[in-house]
Amino acid sequence: MSLQLYNTLSGRKELFVPLKEGEVRMYVCGVTVYDSCHIGHARSLLTFDVLWRYLKFLGYHVIFVRNFTDLDDKIIQRAKEEKSRPDLIAARYIREFYRDSAALGLLSPTHEPKATEHIPEIISLIQTLEQKGAAYRIDGDVFFSVDRFPGYGKLSRRRLDELEAGARVEIDERKRSPMDFALWKASKEGEPFWESPWGKGRPGWHIECSAMSTKYLGQPFDIHGGGHDLIFPHHENEIAQSEGAFGLPFARYWIHNGFLNINQEKMSKSLGNIHTIQEILERHEATALRCYFLASHYRSPIDFSEQGLDEAEKSVERIHETIDRVDRSVQSSNGSKLDAGVLEAFRQEMGDDLNTPRALAFIFEEIRSLNRMLDEGRVEGLLPRVLALKRLGEVLGLLQQKPELFLSRKRERWMRSQGLSVEAVEELITRRDKARSAKQWSEADRIRTELQEKGITLEDTPGGTIWKVR
RNA sequence: GGCGGCGUACCCAAGUGGUUAAGGGAGAGGUCUGCAAAACCUCGAUGCAGCGGUUCGAAUCCGCUCGCCGCCUCCA
């Protein structure tokens, strides 16, 4: 089954064919480490985590690079505010990033380069641009000259004259053209700096991605991704730098995830509507957040809501419940094959520009079908389908933990928040069981009601009474 | 001003020319159960912002109108 991906560069879905057969080289813009990551970052991270997992599922060897921007104005600003140092600020938020990343269940990329560790490559790239006449220096600054790159604007579909007409940014009068951007910035007193042919300074924002992507992936490489907001100017500038320097295409497929809004507004510090990943994961399972995002197409904007997250949590719980039910009732035998039809149906949906909502819909159809088989006691042919389903769950990152672990974590969080103890609950259940055996239904129901008021639901199954929260 | 996107049931959300408009959550009825819960079954949009048009046929294409949003500035 083929994979079609929407390429921002062409503005349409294209058949994905990697440059080198069987191998995919992919670069995604990571975060600037000046503050905690929020759920908008989470959406982008999860989008490309799923793309990576899916490419591997298709059998590709994937080299995945995601950078850290560990030096820029915002980090310097933050350091000043805290009377700290930029490198310490960056180190702190990189640590936080790794913690969030683990909590979200992200697979680690092949490489996670930092801008500060690639200064020689950056300097060398700027020198190449200077030699080509695409860059010019003013005092200790070096700028890219957009007029020297005829393709400027091809990614964001803008023309230079339109950009200039609409430019609202305060223009640095020294620049030759208003859209020229900094490749290298002379450092001011007290700012971090590196020695360079242009004096003490530091890289501009865009140049690091050009330097690092090419170092690890070569040029051209297959996929370049990031948030929708990066199309202009960041990715446009990356193209200008890399193609301007080497005269080769830069990245072949440009993939951008849609934005996440809060109450139809962008998340921003000034609006005070930022939800950090950490904050959300205190109240919800990471799997629920993942499922919530997967229920929308990655390019569509999402208007974030906790209600939506609650609904997603219920639906993902159903997947876990079903698989747990299968695990409890069907003898697993080794050597079982994965059901080819299930895998193929999944590829069909995902192959259409990662249509995860449809892939998810298919999974729920399978869930219903499997439950019916179990209800009816028809277990022949069930195992291959369950194994295939588990595989799909892994590719989407939904089934990273065993179902019983998902259920018990949810239970623990509830018990902790309500100040309940497992022993007390199980004691009550034992008493109810005794009452039930004696057919003392009113006493049994009284205990069940008591537990229900504490958010605990009982299920009397043939194998005994099990309990769930909320 | 320029460029782009969106408006589908109570809520979320697929579907971009052709049999009965996915899926999830909520709701109603039923099977099962001591009663429940879970699971399963059934039922929920003669209609896809509105109005015109093209077509044998449109949620899907075209035009207009209304409403909402993003980018053009640091931003996932």
Side-chain angles (χ1 to χ4, degrees):
Chain A
M1 191 61 220
S2 63
L3 172 61
Q4 300 269 137
L5 288 175
Y6 180 88
N7 188 350
T8 306
L9 195 57
S10 63
R12 61 174 71 100
K13 289 179 196 172
E14 293 176 21
L15 179 66
F16 176 71
V17 182
L19 206 55
K20 188 175 164 191
E21 196 182 338
E23 184 178 299
V24 177
R25 285 170 286 161
M26 169 163 106
Y27 183 92
V28 174
C29 288
V31 296
T32 301
V33 280
Y34 74 104
D35 206 343
S36 300
C37 286
H38 53 64
I39 48 176
H41 294 113
R43 186 180 189 196
S44 184
L45 293 166
L46 286 167
T47 296
F48 292 103
D49 184 66
V50 169
L51 175 57
W52 189 26
R53 286 167 187 262
Y54 186 63
L55 288 168
K56 289 202 279 196
F57 169 73
L58 291 179
Y60 291 113
H61 172 66
V62 188
I63 305 169
F64 175 29
V65 181
R66 188 183 57 214
N67 71 302
F68 284 111
T69 297
D70 60 344
L71 185 76
D72 89 334
D73 293 347
K74 287 196 294 284
I75 297 173
I76 292 170
Q77 176 65 27
R78 184 80 188 231
K80 276 183 190 155
E81 285 165 15
E82 297 191 10
K83 298 191 167 36
S84 177
R85 293 193 340 235
D87 57 333
L88 295 177
I89 298 291
R92 183 210 300 166
Y93 289 110
I94 286 172
R95 271 198 308 278
E96 245 194 45
F97 180 90
Y98 282 126
R99 194 196 54 203
D100 289 344
S101 167
L104 288 171
L106 302 180
L107 294 178
S108 295
T110 321
H111 302 282
E112 296 181 90
K114 301 182 179 80
T116 55
E117 292 172 2
H118 295 78
I119 302 296
E121 288 88 345
I122 290 169
I123 289 175
S124 156
L125 180 55
I126 298 173
Q127 285 179 308
T128 304
L129 286 167
E130 267 196 319
Q131 285 156 19
K132 295 266 167 106
Y136 58 96
R137 60 173 92 174
I138 296 174
D139 307 324
D141 294 332
V142 182
F143 291 98
F144 183 91
S145 180
V146 293
D147 292 333
R148 300 303 300 271
F149 184 67
Y152 197 78
K154 67 182 179 183
L155 181 69
S156 53
R157 276 182 202 70
R158 287 162 217 273
R159 297 203 333 244
L160 273 172
D161 49 352
E162 287 168 351
L163 285 167
E164 288 170 37
R168 279 183 279 150
V169 64
E170 195 177 325
I171 293 164
D172 184 338
E173 293 299 335
R174 304 171 305 162
K175 293 196 291 191
R176 289 181 192 165
S177 163
M179 293 316 296
D180 289 353
F181 54 90
L183 297 168
W184 188 262
K185 295 174 167 181
S187 56
K188 300 193 191 81
E189 190 60 35
E191 289 182 353
F193 65 84
W194 283 263
E195 295 292 348
S196 81
W198 316 284
K200 292 175 178 177
R202 57 193 168 89
W205 174 36
H206 316 292
I207 195 73
E208 63 174 270
C209 287
S210 284
M212 295 191 289
S213 58
T214 303
K215 171 176 178 179
Y216 294 97
L217 301 174
Q219 183 172 334
F221 57 91
D222 296 302
I223 295 174
H224 192 129
H228 190 255
D229 56 323
L230 295 180
I231 296 172
F232 190 89
H234 185 53
H235 289 163
E236 195 70 71
N237 291 354
E238 281 185 50
I239 290 174
Q241 292 162 345
S242 294
E243 300 191 356
F246 301 110
L248 293 166
F250 179 44
R252 303 171 61 236
Y253 298 86
W254 288 85
I255 313 291
H256 295 97
N257 65 276
F259 246 57
L260 182 142
N261 301 316
I262 309 276
N263 292 120
Q264 311 192 12
E265 284 175 313
K266 209 167 142 168
M267 260 193 294
S268 76
K269 287 248 162 83
S270 53
L271 288 166
N273 59 1
I274 289 183
H275 295 287
T276 61
I277 291 174
Q278 205 184 347
E279 174 205 334
I280 291 300
L281 293 186
E282 277 166 20
R283 295 195 294 272
H284 302 274
E285 280 298 313
T287 317
L289 183 64
R290 197 182 269 264
C291 189
Y292 176 65
F293 287 148
L294 293 176
S296 298
H297 185 84
Y298 76 90
R299 284 191 285 116
S300 305
I302 288 182
D303 194 31
F304 181 78
S305 80
E306 296 250 2
Q307 187 199 330
L309 211 41
D310 284 334
E311 289 174 5
E313 185 145 345
K314 281 177 199 154
S315 69
V316 81
E317 186 172 337
R318 196 158 142 241
I319 299 174
H320 282 99
E321 291 276 13
T322 302
I323 290 178
D324 187 46
R325 186 181 176 199
V326 173
D327 288 347
R328 281 187 285 112
S329 51
V330 179
Q331 195 76 271
S332 175
S333 63
N334 42 8
S336 273
K337 293 255 189 314
L338 278 63
D339 187 288
V342 169
L343 298 179
E344 182 53 28
F346 178 71
R347 279 192 213 99
Q348 189 89 29
E349 307 299 15
M350 291 293 281
D352 182 15
D353 195 27
L354 303 186
N355 197 322
T356 55
R358 279 209 317 248
L360 221 40
F362 168 72
I363 285 174
F364 283 112
E365 283 165 8
E366 276 296 294
I367 290 289
R368 197 187 325 123
S369 174
L370 293 171
N371 271 315
R372 175 151 54 168
M373 287 172 82
L374 289 166
D375 280 356
E376 295 172 357
R378 297 182 288 118
V379 293
E380 66 282 9
L382 183 134
L383 203 55
R385 286 172 65 183
V386 173
L387 292 174
L389 187 66
K390 285 183 178 177
R391 186 75 220 284
L392 309 189
E394 284 161 15
V395 174
L396 296 178
L398 290 174
L399 289 176
Q400 302 196 50
Q401 41 182 282
K402 290 223 178 286
E404 69 259 28
L405 190 61
F406 169 89
L407 298 169
S408 68
R409 274 178 52 161
K410 186 178 168 174
R411 173 192 287 190
E412 273 166 33
R413 200 174 51 233
W414 177 256
M415 300 297 276
R416 204 163 43 239
S417 73
Q418 299 296 306
L420 298 170
S421 82
V422 173
E423 294 72 32
V425 169
E426 290 186 341
E427 159 66 20
L428 281 169
I429 289 174
T430 307
R431 270 167 52 192
R432 175 172 171 274
D433 280 345
K434 282 182 187 154
R436 289 183 71 225
S437 339
K439 297 202 191 300
Q440 294 167 354
W441 305 124
S442 62
E443 171 64 3
D445 291 349
R446 189 194 61 72
I447 293 171
R448 185 171 60 200
T449 306
E450 184 184 333
L451 286 168
Q452 188 63 51
E453 281 161 2
K454 291 172 177 165
I456 290 161
T457 303
L458 302 185
E459 288 182 26
D460 298 324
T461 73
T465 301
I466 60 174
W467 57 283
K468 304 195 303 185
V469 295
R470 214 165 13 137

